[in-house]
PDB file of all heavy atoms in Angstrom:
ATOM      1  N   MET Z 308       5.132   5.047  -5.115  1.00 47.00           N
ATOM      2  CA  MET Z 308       5.403   4.969  -6.491  1.00 47.00           C
ATOM      3  C   MET Z 308       4.565   5.977  -7.342  1.00 47.00           C
ATOM      4  O   MET Z 308       4.961   6.627  -8.249  1.00 47.00           O
ATOM      5  CB  MET Z 308       5.170   3.563  -7.017  1.00 47.00           C
ATOM      6  CG  MET Z 308       6.417   2.625  -6.955  1.00 47.00           C
ATOM      7  SD  MET Z 308       5.967   0.994  -7.273  1.00 47.00           S
ATOM      8  CE  MET Z 308       5.498   1.057  -9.012  1.00 47.00           C
ATOM      9  N   LEU Z 309       3.317   5.940  -6.873  1.00 47.00           N
ATOM     10  CA  LEU Z 309       2.291   6.807  -7.523  1.00 47.00           C
ATOM     11  C   LEU Z 309       2.739   8.265  -7.480  1.00 47.00           C
ATOM     12  O   LEU Z 309       2.702   8.997  -8.473  1.00 47.00           O
ATOM     13  CB  LEU Z 309       0.948   6.658  -6.884  1.00 47.00           C
ATOM     14  CG  LEU Z 309      -0.221   6.846  -7.792  1.00 47.00           C
ATOM     15  CD1 LEU Z 309      -0.267   5.837  -8.888  1.00 47.00           C
ATOM     16  CD2 LEU Z 309      -1.558   6.840  -7.004  1.00 47.00           C
ATOM     17  N   ILE Z 310       3.194   8.637  -6.270  1.00 49.00           N
ATOM     18  CA  ILE Z 310       3.638  10.018  -6.148  1.00 49.00           C
ATOM     19  C   ILE Z 310       4.788  10.367  -7.057  1.00 49.00           C
ATOM     20  O   ILE Z 310       4.800  11.353  -7.734  1.00 49.00           O
ATOM     21  CB  ILE Z 310       3.971  10.348  -4.613  1.00 49.00           C
ATOM     22  CG1 ILE Z 310       2.707  10.423  -3.788  1.00 49.00           C
ATOM     23  CG2 ILE Z 310       4.694  11.669  -4.472  1.00 49.00           C
ATOM     24  CD1 ILE Z 310       2.943  10.582  -2.287  1.00 49.00           C
ATOM     25  N   ARG Z 311       5.722   9.385  -7.040  1.00 50.00           N
ATOM     26  CA  ARG Z 311       6.921   9.588  -7.857  1.00 50.00           C
ATOM     27  C   ARG Z 311       6.598   9.645  -9.341  1.00 50.00           C
ATOM     28  O   ARG Z 311       7.040  10.501 -10.102  1.00 50.00           O
ATOM     29  CB  ARG Z 311       7.954   8.497  -7.591  1.00 50.00           C
ATOM     30  CG  ARG Z 311       9.331   9.058  -6.995  1.00 50.00           C
ATOM     31  CD  ARG Z 311      10.201   7.938  -6.669  1.00 50.00           C
ATOM     32  NE  ARG Z 311       9.671   7.181  -5.536  1.00 50.00           N
ATOM     33  CZ  ARG Z 311       9.918   5.841  -5.348  1.00 50.00           C
ATOM     34  NH1 ARG Z 311      10.586   5.191  -6.192  1.00 50.00           N
ATOM     35  NH2 ARG Z 311       9.393   5.193  -4.299  1.00 50.00           N
ATOM     36  N   LEU Z 312       5.650   8.743  -9.705  1.00 48.00           N
ATOM     37  CA  LEU Z 312       5.196   8.753 -11.147  1.00 48.00           C
ATOM     38  C   LEU Z 312       4.554  10.066 -11.504  1.00 48.00           C
ATOM     39  O   LEU Z 312       4.878  10.671 -12.533  1.00 48.00           O
ATOM     40  CB  LEU Z 312       4.222   7.593 -11.310  1.00 48.00           C
ATOM     41  CG  LEU Z 312       3.964   7.175 -12.742  1.00 48.00           C
ATOM     42  CD1 LEU Z 312       5.217   6.574 -13.319  1.00 48.00           C
ATOM     43  CD2 LEU Z 312       2.782   6.238 -12.816  1.00 48.00           C
ATOM     44  N   THR Z 313       3.710  10.540 -10.587  1.00 50.00           N
ATOM     45  CA  THR Z 313       3.064  11.827 -10.827  1.00 50.00           C
ATOM     46  C   THR Z 313       4.066  12.917 -10.955  1.00 50.00           C
ATOM     47  O   THR Z 313       3.991  13.768 -11.856  1.00 50.00           O
ATOM     48  CB  THR Z 313       2.091  12.137  -9.673  1.00 50.00           C
ATOM     49  OG1 THR Z 313       1.313  10.986  -9.430  1.00 50.00           O
ATOM     50  CG2 THR Z 313       1.124  13.277 -10.063  1.00 50.00           C
ATOM     51  N   ALA Z 314       5.051  12.894 -10.069  1.00 48.00           N
ATOM     52  CA  ALA Z 314       6.067  13.951 -10.099  1.00 48.00           C
ATOM     53  C   ALA Z 314       6.836  13.913 -11.415  1.00 48.00           C
ATOM     54  O   ALA Z 314       7.037  14.929 -12.137  1.00 48.00           O
ATOM     55  CB  ALA Z 314       7.045  13.750  -8.968  1.00 48.00           C
ATOM     56  N   VAL Z 315       7.176  12.695 -11.854  1.00 46.00           N
ATOM     57  CA  VAL Z 315       7.895  12.558 -13.157  1.00 46.00           C
ATOM     58  C   VAL Z 315       7.001  13.112 -14.325  1.00 46.00           C
ATOM     59  O   VAL Z 315       7.500  13.843 -15.190  1.00 46.00           O
ATOM     60  CB  VAL Z 315       8.292  11.085 -13.396  1.00 46.00           C
ATOM     61  CG1 VAL Z 315       8.717  10.889 -14.886  1.00 46.00           C
ATOM     62  CG2 VAL Z 315       9.325  10.628 -12.433  1.00 46.00           C
ATOM     63  N   LEU Z 316       5.726  12.693 -14.311  1.00 48.00           N
ATOM     64  CA  LEU Z 316       4.841  13.183 -15.305  1.00 48.00           C
ATOM     65  C   LEU Z 316       4.766  14.688 -15.327  1.00 48.00           C
ATOM     66  O   LEU Z 316       4.824  15.360 -16.391  1.00 48.00           O
ATOM     67  CB  LEU Z 316       3.433  12.573 -15.151  1.00 48.00           C
ATOM     68  CG  LEU Z 316       3.341  11.106 -15.613  1.00 48.00           C
ATOM     69  CD1 LEU Z 316       1.938  10.587 -15.298  1.00 48.00           C
ATOM     70  CD2 LEU Z 316       3.564  10.971 -17.148  1.00 48.00           C
ATOM     71  N   LEU Z 317       4.588  15.271 -14.106  1.00 48.00           N
ATOM     72  CA  LEU Z 317       4.505  16.708 -14.026  1.00 48.00           C
ATOM     73  C   LEU Z 317       5.781  17.343 -14.609  1.00 48.00           C
ATOM     74  O   LEU Z 317       5.765  18.339 -15.271  1.00 48.00           O
ATOM     75  CB  LEU Z 317       4.356  17.163 -12.564  1.00 48.00           C
ATOM     76  CG  LEU Z 317       2.876  17.056 -12.041  1.00 48.00           C
ATOM     77  CD1 LEU Z 317       2.875  17.406 -10.545  1.00 48.00           C
ATOM     78  CD2 LEU Z 317       1.988  18.011 -12.803  1.00 48.00           C
ATOM     79  N   LEU Z 318       6.955  16.743 -14.220  1.00 46.00           N
ATOM     80  CA  LEU Z 318       8.219  17.236 -14.633  1.00 46.00           C
ATOM     81  C   LEU Z 318       8.285  17.237 -16.188  1.00 46.00           C
ATOM     82  O   LEU Z 318       8.692  18.176 -16.764  1.00 46.00           O
ATOM     83  CB  LEU Z 318       9.265  16.423 -14.040  1.00 46.00           C
ATOM     84  CG  LEU Z 318      10.639  17.119 -13.932  1.00 46.00           C
ATOM     85  CD1 LEU Z 318      10.626  18.265 -12.990  1.00 46.00           C
ATOM     86  CD2 LEU Z 318      11.733  16.090 -13.493  1.00 46.00           C
ATOM     87  N   LEU Z 319       7.832  16.112 -16.712  1.00 49.00           N
ATOM     88  CA  LEU Z 319       7.880  15.897 -18.182  1.00 49.00           C
ATOM     89  C   LEU Z 319       7.090  17.060 -18.816  1.00 49.00           C
ATOM     90  O   LEU Z 319       7.570  17.707 -19.747  1.00 49.00           O
ATOM     91  CB  LEU Z 319       7.230  14.639 -18.536  1.00 49.00           C
ATOM     92  CG  LEU Z 319       8.179  13.443 -18.804  1.00 49.00           C
ATOM     93  CD1 LEU Z 319       7.382  12.206 -19.111  1.00 49.00           C
ATOM     94  CD2 LEU Z 319       9.119  13.779 -20.021  1.00 49.00           C
ATOM     95  N   GLN Z 320       5.903  17.308 -18.259  1.00 50.00           N
ATOM     96  CA  GLN Z 320       5.022  18.293 -18.825  1.00 50.00           C
ATOM     97  C   GLN Z 320       5.742  19.677 -18.702  1.00 50.00           C
ATOM     98  O   GLN Z 320       5.691  20.433 -19.630  1.00 50.00           O
ATOM     99  CB  GLN Z 320       3.704  18.308 -18.088  1.00 50.00           C
ATOM    100  CG  GLN Z 320       2.519  18.464 -18.962  1.00 50.00           C
ATOM    101  CD  GLN Z 320       1.246  18.270 -18.170  1.00 50.00           C
ATOM    102  OE1 GLN Z 320       1.227  18.076 -16.934  1.00 50.00           O
ATOM    103  NE2 GLN Z 320       0.148  18.234 -18.790  1.00 50.00           N
ATOM    104  N   TYR Z 321       6.298  19.899 -17.563  1.00 49.00           N
ATOM    105  CA  TYR Z 321       6.958  21.108 -17.277  1.00 49.00           C
ATOM    106  C   TYR Z 321       8.152  21.398 -18.207  1.00 49.00           C
ATOM    107  O   TYR Z 321       8.272  22.406 -18.764  1.00 49.00           O
ATOM    108  CB  TYR Z 321       7.422  21.165 -15.841  1.00 49.00           C
ATOM    109  CG  TYR Z 321       8.048  22.390 -15.423  1.00 49.00           C
ATOM    110  CD1 TYR Z 321       7.294  23.540 -15.132  1.00 49.00           C
ATOM    111  CD2 TYR Z 321       9.495  22.513 -15.295  1.00 49.00           C
ATOM    112  CE1 TYR Z 321       7.906  24.730 -14.755  1.00 49.00           C
ATOM    113  CE2 TYR Z 321      10.063  23.683 -14.976  1.00 49.00           C
ATOM    114  CZ  TYR Z 321       9.287  24.813 -14.692  1.00 49.00           C
ATOM    115  OH  TYR Z 321       9.896  26.005 -14.365  1.00 49.00           O
ATOM    116  N   CYS Z 322       8.890  20.321 -18.463  1.00 54.00           N
ATOM    117  CA  CYS Z 322      10.029  20.440 -19.374  1.00 54.00           C
ATOM    118  C   CYS Z 322       9.645  20.738 -20.738  1.00 54.00           C
ATOM    119  O   CYS Z 322      10.267  21.492 -21.469  1.00 54.00           O
ATOM    120  CB  CYS Z 322      10.871  19.183 -19.354  1.00 54.00           C
ATOM    121  SG  CYS Z 322      11.702  18.879 -17.777  1.00 54.00           S
ATOM    122  N   GLN Z 323       8.526  20.125 -21.216  1.00 73.00           N
ATOM    123  CA  GLN Z 323       8.064  20.288 -22.543  1.00 73.00           C
ATOM    124  C   GLN Z 323       7.579  21.720 -22.808  1.00 73.00           C
ATOM    125  O   GLN Z 323       7.794  22.265 -23.874  1.00 73.00           O
ATOM    126  CB  GLN Z 323       6.976  19.302 -22.919  1.00 73.00           C
ATOM    127  CG  GLN Z 323       7.549  17.908 -23.221  1.00 73.00           C
ATOM    128  CD  GLN Z 323       6.528  16.819 -23.261  1.00 73.00           C
ATOM    129  OE1 GLN Z 323       5.361  17.117 -23.002  1.00 73.00           O
ATOM    130  NE2 GLN Z 323       6.937  15.648 -23.612  1.00 73.00           N
ATOM    131  N   ALA Z 324       6.897  22.235 -21.811  1.00 89.00           N
ATOM    132  CA  ALA Z 324       6.264  23.556 -21.979  1.00 89.00           C
ATOM    133  C   ALA Z 324       7.365  24.563 -22.135  1.00 89.00           C
ATOM    134  O   ALA Z 324       8.369  24.565 -21.433  1.00 89.00           O
ATOM    135  CB  ALA Z 324       5.332  23.870 -20.795  1.00 89.00           C
ATOM    136  N   GLN Z 449      -1.089  15.263 -28.601  1.00 95.00           N
ATOM    137  CA  GLN Z 449      -1.947  14.165 -28.164  1.00 95.00           C
ATOM    138  C   GLN Z 449      -3.312  14.189 -28.844  1.00 95.00           C
ATOM    139  O   GLN Z 449      -4.224  13.446 -28.457  1.00 95.00           O
ATOM    140  CB  GLN Z 449      -2.122  14.193 -26.660  1.00 95.00           C
ATOM    141  CG  GLN Z 449      -0.945  13.564 -25.912  1.00 95.00           C
ATOM    142  CD  GLN Z 449      -0.656  14.309 -24.643  1.00 95.00           C
ATOM    143  OE1 GLN Z 449      -1.592  14.785 -23.998  1.00 95.00           O
ATOM    144  NE2 GLN Z 449       0.576  14.374 -24.299  1.00 95.00           N
TER     145      GLN Z 449
END
Side-chain angles (χ1 to χ4, degrees):
M308 269 171 66
L309 208 65
I310 288 175
R311 242 173 295 148
L312 196 67
T313 314
V315 168
L316 283 176
L317 278 175
L318 200 67
L319 262 178
Q320 221 171 6
Y321 180 77
C322 292
Q323 280 167 356
Q449 279 143 34

